[in-house]
Amino acid sequence: MLHTDAVTGGRGARTACDDGGLRSAVVVNPVKVADPDRLRRTVNDALAAAGWPEPLWYETTVEDPGRGQTEAAVEAGVEVVFACGGDGTVMSCVSGLVGTEVALAVLPQGTGNLLAANLGLSTDLAAGLQVAIERGRRLLDVGEVDGHYFTVMAGMGFDAQMLAATSEATKARIGWPAYVVGAARHLRDRPMRVSIRVDDRPPVRRRARSVLVANVGRLQGGIRLLTEAEPDDGWLDVAVLTPRTLGHWLSLGWAVIRGRGRVPRMEVFRGRRVIVTASRAQPRELDGDLIAPGRRLRAVIRPKSLWLCVPQPERARDLAVDAERAAERGEELVEEARRE
């Protein structure tokens, strides 16, 4: 599936053939960037080498982590928005693009970016640029929780506890394995009592450590938790994790790492509307970014509402197909731009 037409409408947008490339904008979180000047040079030069015009640049702020800047870029008539930052920046850009014809491209700068992991991009700037330039597009579903959107997964319980327990300094030093350190602090916490209602089915009650509502199935480090989850099938996949002992955690983790079809201590449901209600307020997260704790997590699917730049445009369960070759081509592009 390819989507390379220019945005049309009352924004004065141009087609790609007007200037040989697509109009774009970069929404960057300056806190996540070690050398902003070098980043700007690399992006501008690489896009110029590909025949694209110079992008618009927007910086996020504490007050607006990216949604307002993305909406301004859409109003300016761009066709691609590069989200350059961590999970929070990407999620904010998604919120500004849902329901538009403007595509999202990820230039990961944060540690352990979930959408970048599902695209196989890791923290590879050159790969992110190349994926956008090659114009592979996929029209994805998006999940919605209380007016906020997620592309990967929403969670209540252990996964959010792990995020809260992982320091930014540790993530900056060792990368995504820092989450393992955060997870170890909460392995022995008591489970939460939850009621899970999927669509109009009767609720099920569990003593769970974590409930994940997923659009795609890949976790930090590229580990695939939900092998059947597809990003554009119109369904949310709900994983209920119920380990109670360290042995349970080890068997669950080993099964996930080995890619087994059946994972012990994990139940999976599927639906379009999911309501998770806990007996007490629990930590919650969207796409790896913490949101306010609460007793309820209500998620619905917004089918085919976000254009995403992907390494492989054909329909495939795994968004990361061809990511390594795209990265190689991206490095060549960046080197060519530097030489010029």
Side-chain angles (χ1 to χ4, degrees):
M1 179 187 298
L2 291 173
H3 182 69
T4 58
D5 295 337
V7 180
T8 58
R11 303 191 182 103
R14 294 179 292 175
T15 62
C17 61
D18 287 339
D19 51 24
L22 301 182
R23 292 189 65 192
S24 63
V26 181
V27 177
V28 59
N29 181 349
V31 175
K32 297 289 186 179
V33 179
D35 189 340
D37 291 336
R38 182 179 181 183
L39 171 72
R40 185 182 286 255
R41 277 196 311 272
T42 300
V43 173
N44 287 351
D45 292 349
L47 292 180
W52 286 36
E54 184 174 330
L56 304 175
W57 285 80
Y58 299 88
E59 286 193 355
T60 67
T61 63
V62 174
E63 296 75 21
D64 189 341
R67 181 169 185 166
Q69 295 86 339
T70 301
E71 291 172 346
V74 172
E75 286 297 320
V78 304
E79 295 146 280
V80 176
V81 170
F82 291 95
C84 188
D87 288 312
T89 306
V90 174
M91 189 171 68
S92 296
C93 290
V94 167
S95 296
L97 294 177
V98 166
T100 75
E101 291 295 304
V102 180
L104 173 71
V106 181
L107 299 180
Q109 292 291 309
T111 304
N113 183 282
L114 268 178
L115 185 55
N118 276 273
L119 289 167
L121 301 182
S122 181
T123 56
D124 194 330
L125 175 65
L129 289 166
Q130 186 66 25
V131 165
I133 288 166
E134 292 182 348
R135 304 188 192 184
R137 302 287 188 269
R138 186 106 173 243
L139 186 57
L140 301 192
D141 305 332
V142 170
E144 182 177 355
V145 172
D146 299 332
H148 300 280
Y149 299 102
F150 64 93
T151 57
V152 180
M153 61 184 64
M156 172 186 279
F158 173 77
D159 56 307
Q161 288 176 319
M162 175 190 69
L163 292 170
T166 305
S167 72
E168 291 295 326
T170 306
K171 286 194 291 183
R173 188 169 66 253
I174 66 175
W176 71 264
Y179 293 104
V180 177
V181 179
R185 298 176 183 172
H186 292 283
L187 288 178
R188 297 183 182 275
D189 288 3
R190 64 190 178 111
M192 56 184 180
R193 296 180 183 273
V194 293
S195 169
I196 305 162
R197 187 181 182 99
V198 180
D199 294 335
D200 296 323
R201 285 169 255 167
V204 297
R205 291 174 174 80
R206 297 289 185 270
R207 288 173 60 83
R209 290 303 319 280
S210 185
V211 180
L212 298 169
V213 182
N215 186 40
V216 293
R218 198 182 292 272
L219 301 175
Q220 305 288 7
I223 298 171
R224 196 167 182 83
L225 177 68
L226 292 158
T227 58
E228 298 301 314
E230 295 190 41
D232 50 7
D233 60 1
W235 297 96
L236 293 168
D237 290 75
V238 185
V240 184
L241 308 184
T242 58
R244 296 187 180 182
T245 67
L246 182 59
H248 290 164
W249 277 115
L250 290 173
S251 61
L252 186 156
W254 182 242
V256 170
I257 291 171
R258 293 186 64 188
R260 289 181 177 175
R262 183 182 179 279
V263 177
R265 296 286 170 174
M266 184 175 86
E267 289 180 275
V268 179
F269 304 90
R270 175 170 282 191
R272 292 183 170 87
R273 300 187 312 278
V274 181
I275 301 175
V276 183
T277 306
S279 58
R280 64 185 188 276
Q282 297 290 337
R284 305 182 302 165
E285 57 92 7
L286 299 181
D287 279 356
D289 204 49
L290 290 169
I291 60 174
R295 289 188 56 234
R296 178 171 292 183
L297 185 73
R298 182 189 291 111
V300 298
I301 195 74
R302 290 278 301 270
K304 299 190 183 303
S305 55
L306 175 72
W307 284 106
L308 181 66
C309 298
V310 297
Q312 175 62 271
E314 285 82 4
R315 183 181 178 86
R317 187 170 291 142
D318 192 345
L319 291 173
V321 175
D322 201 38
E324 290 186 8
R325 282 178 291 191
E328 293 170 1
R329 294 189 294 271
E331 289 293 342
E332 293 173 1
L333 175 71
V334 169
E335 285 302 317
E336 176 188 347
R338 287 172 179 163
R339 288 195 299 269
E340 290 181 356

